[in-house]
Structures are given as C-alpha cells and as structure tokens.
Amino acid sequence: MFNKKFAISHSLTMTMIDGKVATTVSKNCSMAVCFICGAKPTEMNNLDAVILRTNSAEALKFGISPLHARIKFMECILHLGYNKSFKAWRTNKDTKEQKEAVKTEMKKNFKLVLGLKVDVVKQGMGTTNDGNVSRRFFEHPEITADITGVNVDLIHRFKIILNTINSSKNIDVGKFHTYCMDTAKLYVELYGWYYMPITVHKVLIHGSKMVSEAILPIGMLSEEAQEAMNKEYRNCRLFHSRKNSRISTNEDVMHYLQISSDPYINSFRMRNKLKKLEYHDDVKKLLIE
Ligand SMILES: [Zn+2]
C-alpha cells in the first residue's frame, strides 16, 4: 500500500478578486465598463442589446464576489431612493439640493427604524456600507421599501438573488437565469432612468453563466476568506511586527501569516460552530436539493 504514488497538480483560479483587479486583469480601460461584455453605463439598460454582446470567456471564471455584490446592490437601491424625485442618473445644480435633503432624511430614518448607519463616510476607511449593514438592509424588504420609496418587489428579488449566490449550495442555473432576467426587466421597467450599476448588471446578466463556469458552488468561491484576514492582518501588524522600517514590518507580517496558516498550528484553533442557515422559500426554489 505504501508503494502507491500520487501525482497532484494545482490550478489557480482567481475567484476572490474584486472589480478593480478584474478590470485590470481583463485589460479593460475603465472601471465603469463591464469587464465581461464591455457594456458602458449608458448601454446597461438596453437589455435586448446587452444580452447579444460577446462575453469574455476568461472573465466569466473570475467569480461573482458575493460579499461585495451585497454592498453594491444596497448602494443601488439607495441611489434609486435619492434620485427618484427627479428621475435622473446625474444630478445638476438644480437637483443637487433636492437629493441631499432626501439623503439626510433617509439616513435619519434608517438610524431610527433599523439602527443602521447607512452611507456615512468614515475617516480614511471608506463608508459605513459594509457586509453587516447590507445584510440587515435586505432583511426586511418592506421596511427598506418604506424608507427608500423603492419598489418592494425589486428589493425582495435583490435579497433572494444575493442570498442564493451567498449560499454555498448548488444553484439551478436555468431557474436562476430566469429569475435574474425577470429582475433585470423589472428594474428597467421601473427605473429605466438610472443606468444599472455594473455589479448589478454583472450578477443579473452574467450571473447564471458565472455560476455554471464555477468549479464549486459559487458561494464557496467568495472573497470571504480573504476579507476575514483583514482583521487578523491588522492585529498582527500592530502587535506582532517590528515598526523600525516598512521592510521589517512586512517581513514580520509574512512570517506571522505563514505560522498561523501552518496546518499543524492551525489545528489548535477553536472551531466556531456554524449556525445552520434557514433559507427563504424563494431561495430554496433556485437551489438544487
Ligand atoms: Zn456585462
């Protein structure tokens, strides 16, 4: 039995990359252009033309970044809410004040009703729009629709799609495709004046293809592992590295990360028991049992 030989080969698939990296790797010139089909913002809402575009086979393998998708979908709903009174993608000097007033009111209501700090700029760290905020944003579509004034059916559909791609289960590609296309049609019908944001376009139009290209259920290929390291990285840079030069800091960080990812050392870690998630019935319909 010990004479057996095993040959193992590795293949690297870039599924944890975000939009910025994907744009660069796929040699696209602009972040505003879809890195799969090359559609510009002004072309996004012309669904008939968009589905006929040729897709980059390489870019379809990049993974769907389900965590970032949640945040971008939330920001899309927020912007529809901010701009709904003047129905335009851009603001000009006449509508700017109007938008700011709605924005302040909406942020106040989110804090009051759901205790959520939405779209608040954090010094040097982007905004408060993170995974947890966006998860709670979509938890109760009726409340979110009430505060934002955006169609409740659209918010519910966004929630179902996001929970499906985050589920780590096998997705029924055909059903998922139909659900996404119906959602895209609803979006254009209701909010044709607001160009579909690139991430929403990516998931609704290319999502089902990306799911079928993935070697594992798409939710397993998420950027979660990488994002989870941010906290660990910060801790190790602060407490376990020399601060006399950037080179020694980085060297110590690399050593620390190598130690902590060692399989033997890692086996001492306390395992968190994962909570069993209950999925919405609409999500279950899109999954393969
Ligand atoms: Zn596209």
Coordinates of all heavy atoms in Angstrom, one line a residue, residues 14 57 65 81 91 95 99 120 126 140 144 168 181 184 198 213 216 227 245-246 259 272:
M14 N -8.7 32.6 -10.2 CA -8.9 33.9 -9.5 C -10.3 34.2 -9.2 O -11.0 34.8 -10.0 CB -8.2 35.0 -10.3 CG -6.7 34.9 -10.3 SD -6.0 36.4 -10.8 CE -6.4 36.4 -12.5
A57 N -14.6 34.9 -22.2 CA -14.7 33.5 -21.5 C -13.8 33.5 -20.3 O -14.2 32.9 -19.3 CB -14.2 32.5 -22.5
S65 N -17.9 37.5 -6.6 CA -17.7 38.3 -5.4 C -19.0 38.6 -4.6 O -19.4 39.7 -4.6 CB -17.0 39.7 -5.7 OG -15.9 39.5 -6.6
G81 N -33.4 55.6 -4.5 CA -34.2 56.3 -3.5 C -33.8 57.8 -3.5 O -34.7 58.7 -3.5
T91 N -26.9 64.3 -11.2 CA -27.5 65.5 -10.5 C -26.9 66.7 -11.2 O -25.8 66.7 -11.6 CB -27.2 65.5 -9.0 OG1 -25.9 65.1 -8.8 CG2 -28.2 64.6 -8.3
T95 N -30.9 70.0 -9.0 CA -31.4 68.8 -8.3 C -30.5 68.4 -7.1 O -30.9 67.6 -6.3 CB -31.5 67.6 -9.2 OG1 -30.3 67.4 -9.9 CG2 -32.6 67.9 -10.2
K99 N -31.6 66.2 -3.8 CA -31.0 64.9 -3.5 C -30.5 64.9 -2.0 O -30.7 64.0 -1.3 CB -29.9 64.6 -4.5 CG -29.2 63.3 -4.2 CD -28.2 63.0 -5.3 CE -27.4 61.8 -4.9 NZ -26.5 61.3 -5.9
V120 N -22.5 56.6 5.6 CA -21.8 57.6 6.3 C -20.3 57.4 6.0 O -19.8 56.3 6.1 CB -22.1 57.5 7.8 CG1 -21.3 58.6 8.6 CG2 -23.6 57.5 8.1
G126 N -13.3 54.5 3.9 CA -14.4 54.4 3.0 C -15.7 54.8 3.7 O -15.7 55.8 4.5
H140 N -35.5 43.0 5.9 CA -36.9 43.2 5.8 C -37.2 44.2 4.7 O -37.3 45.4 4.8 CB -37.4 43.9 7.1 CG -37.0 43.1 8.3 ND1 -37.6 42.0 8.7 CD2 -36.0 43.4 9.2 CE1 -37.0 41.5 9.8 NE2 -36.0 42.3 10.2
T144 N -37.4 48.5 4.3 CA -36.4 49.2 3.5 C -37.2 49.9 2.3 O -36.8 51.1 2.0 CB -35.4 48.2 2.9 OG1 -34.8 47.5 3.9 CG2 -34.4 48.9 2.0
S168 N -23.5 28.9 -0.8 CA -22.5 27.8 -0.9 C -23.3 26.5 -1.3 O -22.8 25.4 -1.0 CB -21.8 27.5 0.4 OG -21.4 28.6 1.1
M181 N -33.2 37.4 -15.0 CA -33.6 38.2 -16.2 C -34.9 38.9 -15.9 O -35.1 40.1 -16.3 CB -33.8 37.3 -17.4 CG -32.5 36.9 -18.1 SD -31.2 38.2 -18.3 CE -32.0 39.2 -19.5
A184 N -34.1 41.9 -13.9 CA -33.5 42.9 -14.8 C -34.6 43.7 -15.5 O -34.6 44.9 -15.6 CB -32.5 42.3 -15.7
I198 N -22.8 48.6 -12.5 CA -22.0 47.5 -13.1 C -22.1 46.2 -12.3 O -22.3 45.1 -13.0 CB -20.6 47.9 -13.3 CG1 -19.8 46.9 -14.1 CG2 -19.8 48.3 -12.1 CD1 -18.6 47.4 -14.8
E213 N -19.9 28.2 -14.9 CA -18.5 28.1 -15.2 C -17.7 27.7 -13.9 O -16.6 27.2 -14.0 CB -17.9 29.5 -15.6 CG -18.3 29.9 -17.0 CD -17.5 29.2 -18.1 OE1 -16.4 28.8 -17.9 OE2 -18.1 29.0 -19.2
L216 N -16.9 25.0 -8.2 CA -17.6 24.6 -7.0 C -18.8 25.5 -6.9 O -19.0 26.5 -7.7 CB -16.7 25.0 -5.8 CG -15.5 24.1 -5.5 CD1 -14.6 24.7 -4.5 CD2 -16.0 22.7 -5.0
E227 N -11.4 38.5 3.0 CA -11.9 39.6 3.8 C -11.7 39.3 5.3 O -11.4 40.2 6.1 CB -13.4 39.8 3.5 CG -13.7 40.3 2.1 CD -13.2 41.8 1.9 OE1 -13.4 42.6 2.8 OE2 -12.6 42.0 0.8
S245 N 11.1 49.7 10.3 CA 11.1 50.0 8.9 C 9.9 49.3 8.2 O 9.5 48.2 8.7 CB 12.4 49.7 8.2 OG 12.5 48.3 7.9
R246 N 9.5 49.7 7.0 CA 8.4 49.0 6.4 C 8.8 47.6 6.0 O 8.0 46.7 6.0 CB 8.0 49.8 5.1 CG 7.2 51.0 5.5 CD 6.6 51.7 4.4 NE 5.9 52.9 4.9 CZ 5.1 53.6 4.2 NH1 4.8 53.2 2.9 NH2 4.5 54.6 4.7
I259 N 3.1 31.3 9.8 CA 2.9 30.5 11.0 C 1.4 30.1 11.3 O 1.0 29.0 11.5 CB 3.5 31.2 12.3 CG1 5.0 31.3 12.2 CG2 3.2 30.4 13.6 CD1 5.6 32.2 13.2
N272 N -15.3 27.6 15.4 CA -16.6 28.2 15.6 C -17.7 27.2 15.1 O -17.6 26.8 13.9 CB -16.8 29.5 15.0 CG -16.0 30.6 15.7 OD1 -15.7 30.4 16.9 ND2 -15.5 31.6 15.0

